[in-house]
Amino acid sequence: RIQRLWKDNFDTPLVADTIQWVEAVVFPWLEVFATSPDRQAQDHPLFHQWRTRLEYFVYHTYGNQRLSEFFNIVVDFPDSDAALEDLRTCLSMTAQHQQLITEARRQIKKRLLHAGAKTTDILQFFVNLIKAVNVLYPSSGGILDKVCDDIKAYLRHRKDTVRAIVLGLIGSSGDSSDLALVLHSELKSSNEDNTLTVYYSSDEEDDMMVNPTQCKPSPRTMRTSMDKGIDMLRVLGLSNKTDIVKMLVSIFGKKDLFIEEYQAILSSKLLALSDYDTTQEVATLELLKIRFGEAALHNCEAMIRDLAETKRIQSNISRMQKEDRRGGSTMDCTIVSRLFWPELPDEDFVPHPQLIALQEQQVQYYKRLKAPRTLEFINALGHVQLELEYPTTSV
């Protein structure tokens, strides 16, 4: 009955219903065999002993079933939240904590950590895993670290891990992937929440790793240190949410790699803007400054200021062109500060003479506005808009 009802059913609470079924169906049968005529069933020590064993058996069987499906439960999160809540109850009764760690690591190595899995998929699972373990152990960072160690070590050796994380954190409007939505949401919420992370001492975690065969289960009275930690957080009204962004940064142990990657991505995004609208980039930068500090992102802030300054300069140049009654083709330039931007790619080639004339015109107008400064063009980063004329139409 247990396997038939529980297998692959993650979205429905099942433990409480199963306990009620045992009480309604099994316990009355047990009263016949484990009691004597002169004593009530509830007072008979043999009945109490078997009742406790049967309840423990239900929790332990459910724990084994869900631990064998733990990978699928994490993949289905948050739809599998009901199964995790039931599993948390069972773990508090059976102390199968070491079995959880062993089983989770085995399934992760077998099904996820291989060359065929995309980095974004591994990161998505990693985020789900953090949230799932947080449901099971809201106040134990040590168990989370043990479960996640293999994933972090594997991601550390993938070349595109940093870029995938940064792209997810900045959550550009054009990226609708699940990872981008989740990570950008986490970046915003982690800066708004008052987050408290509580870690057990080594002695307390050793107590949680007891051998279940050496304990005497008492499901109705057992209270583990895990439950006490949850109650304390509820009383204080504090969040027990794990900092997912911090966990991702901890894969490499330092933030410099993420700052450099963000600066490279920001450079590409800013150079691609045709209207100089940096509203989205400013909002993202403010979130990152709260996370990584203003000093670390000073260059990125200067890059965005360059776009605002460019918009003003191009507006003035357009005005001067109208005053000089210059018509024909026009050119807009994104003016960047060499000291604050990452190294930009360039190729040595000679543009069309018409483009050279437009560049020289831009330089003259810029010198009138910002003398004695001048402009140096990076031709490889430019783009043009062409109009093709056919006998009957133009494109």
Side-chain angles (χ1 to χ4, degrees):
R1 173 184 173 85
I2 287 176
Q3 290 183 347
R4 184 178 72 253
L5 294 178
W6 291 351
K7 185 174 177 59
D8 297 325
N9 186 0
F10 304 145
D11 58 355
T12 306
L14 298 171
V15 170
D17 290 342
T18 304
I19 291 295
Q20 290 178 1
W21 176 82
V22 170
E23 292 177 346
V25 177
V26 180
F27 286 171
W29 173 84
L30 183 62
E31 291 180 4
V32 177
F33 296 94
T35 60
S36 57
D38 58 332
R39 301 185 67 174
Q40 294 290 331
Q42 299 296 333
D43 298 331
H44 201 289
L46 184 61
F47 173 81
H48 180 71
Q49 179 182 358
W50 276 101
R51 177 177 183 139
T52 302
R53 288 183 179 182
L54 284 173
E55 288 183 343
Y56 180 81
F57 174 78
V58 171
Y59 289 119
H60 193 271
T61 303
Y62 183 90
N64 287 336
Q65 178 70 31
R66 287 298 181 243
L67 292 179
S68 69
E69 303 169 318
F70 189 72
F71 187 92
N72 293 335
I73 291 175
V74 174
V75 170
D76 288 350
F77 188 87
D79 295 335
S80 58
D81 190 66
L84 289 169
E85 289 291 345
D86 278 350
L87 181 57
R88 181 169 68 85
T89 301
C90 293
L91 291 174
S92 69
M93 303 299 181
T94 62
Q96 294 170 278
H97 312 293
Q98 185 59 54
Q99 183 181 345
L100 166 67
I101 295 172
T102 303
E103 200 50 38
R105 296 180 69 167
R106 182 189 68 80
Q107 294 175 33
I108 289 169
K109 285 182 180 179
K110 180 180 180 180
R111 301 181 59 179
L112 186 69
L113 305 184
H114 54 76
K118 295 191 298 184
T119 300
T120 52
D121 291 339
I122 298 176
L123 287 170
Q124 179 67 65
F125 182 89
F126 184 39
V127 172
N128 284 2
L129 179 62
I130 294 172
K131 294 181 177 181
V133 175
N134 193 60
V135 173
L136 299 177
Y137 303 100
S139 53
S140 177
I143 291 180
L144 178 61
D145 288 339
K146 292 175 183 177
V147 173
C148 295
D149 275 349
D150 293 328
I151 297 181
K152 293 169 69 175
Y154 185 80
L155 287 171
R156 203 173 294 127
H157 293 90
R158 282 217 169 186
K159 295 181 179 180
D160 59 340
T161 299
V162 174
R163 185 172 184 84
I165 293 174
V166 174
L167 285 173
L169 289 176
I170 64 179
S172 60
S173 57
D175 190 350
S176 58
S177 67
D178 291 340
L179 181 63
L181 295 175
V182 169
L183 290 187
H184 190 62
S185 175
E186 287 294 330
L187 179 64
K188 292 193 292 186
S189 63
S190 64
N191 289 333
E192 295 169 357
D193 293 344
N194 293 321
T195 302
L196 174 67
T197 303
V198 180
Y199 295 97
Y200 285 116
S201 66
S202 57
D203 292 339
E204 288 174 312
E205 290 209 356
D206 290 341
D207 291 342
M208 295 179 69
M209 300 301 173
V210 295
N211 187 343
T213 62
Q214 298 176 352
C215 65
K216 296 180 180 180
S218 179
R220 295 185 179 278
T221 60
M222 184 180 294
R223 295 279 295 168
T224 65
S225 55
M226 176 187 68
D227 298 311
K228 295 176 182 178
I230 296 170
D231 291 342
M232 181 181 296
L233 291 170
R234 287 173 179 167
V235 170
L236 294 175
L238 297 173
S239 170
N240 52 10
K241 181 180 177 182
T242 300
D243 191 335
I244 291 178
V245 177
K246 185 176 181 181
M247 286 286 292
L248 291 171
V249 174
S250 72
I251 293 175
F252 294 91
K254 54 183 179 180
K255 63 183 181 182
D256 295 347
L257 292 174
F258 295 90
I259 301 300
E260 292 173 4
E261 188 65 36
Y262 171 65
Q263 190 174 6
I265 294 172
L266 179 64
S267 171
S268 299
K269 289 170 70 69
L270 293 178
L271 292 175
L273 293 176
S274 58
D275 56 359
Y276 308 114
D277 183 7
T278 59
T279 304
Q280 178 67 36
E281 285 68 28
V282 170
T284 301
L285 178 61
E286 291 303 316
L287 292 175
L288 292 173
K289 284 164 64 176
I290 296 174
R291 169 64 57 176
F292 296 107
E294 293 192 19
L297 293 163
H298 173 70
N299 286 356
C300 298
E301 191 172 15
M303 291 164 62
I304 293 178
R305 283 202 304 266
D306 281 347
L307 267 289
E309 180 67 13
T310 294
K311 186 176 183 178
R312 289 191 290 270
I313 292 174
Q314 290 300 325
S315 177
N316 289 328
I317 290 178
S318 296
R319 177 180 53 78
M320 289 189 292
Q321 286 176 331
K322 291 179 181 179
E323 292 174 354
D324 294 344
R325 297 181 179 179
R326 290 180 179 267
S329 301
T330 60
M331 171 183 286
D332 289 331
C333 300
T334 300
I335 303 170
V336 304
S337 306
R338 185 186 298 273
L339 293 177
F340 300 111
W341 286 64
E343 184 176 355
L344 299 175
D346 193 11
E347 297 180 15
D348 187 15
F349 70 93
V350 179
H352 189 276
Q354 187 175 353
L355 291 179
I356 294 178
L358 290 173
Q359 289 177 348
E360 292 175 351
Q361 185 182 114
Q362 282 279 320
V363 171
Q364 295 303 318
Y365 281 123
Y366 183 77
K367 286 183 176 180
R368 288 168 57 180
L369 293 171
K370 296 287 185 178
R373 299 180 185 178
T374 188
L375 296 177
E376 179 180 336
F377 290 91
I378 303 177
N379 295 316
L381 297 179
H383 60 274
V384 297
Q385 182 176 350
L386 299 177
E387 182 178 353
L388 303 179
E389 295 184 355
Y390 297 95
T392 58
T393 185
S394 62
V395 180

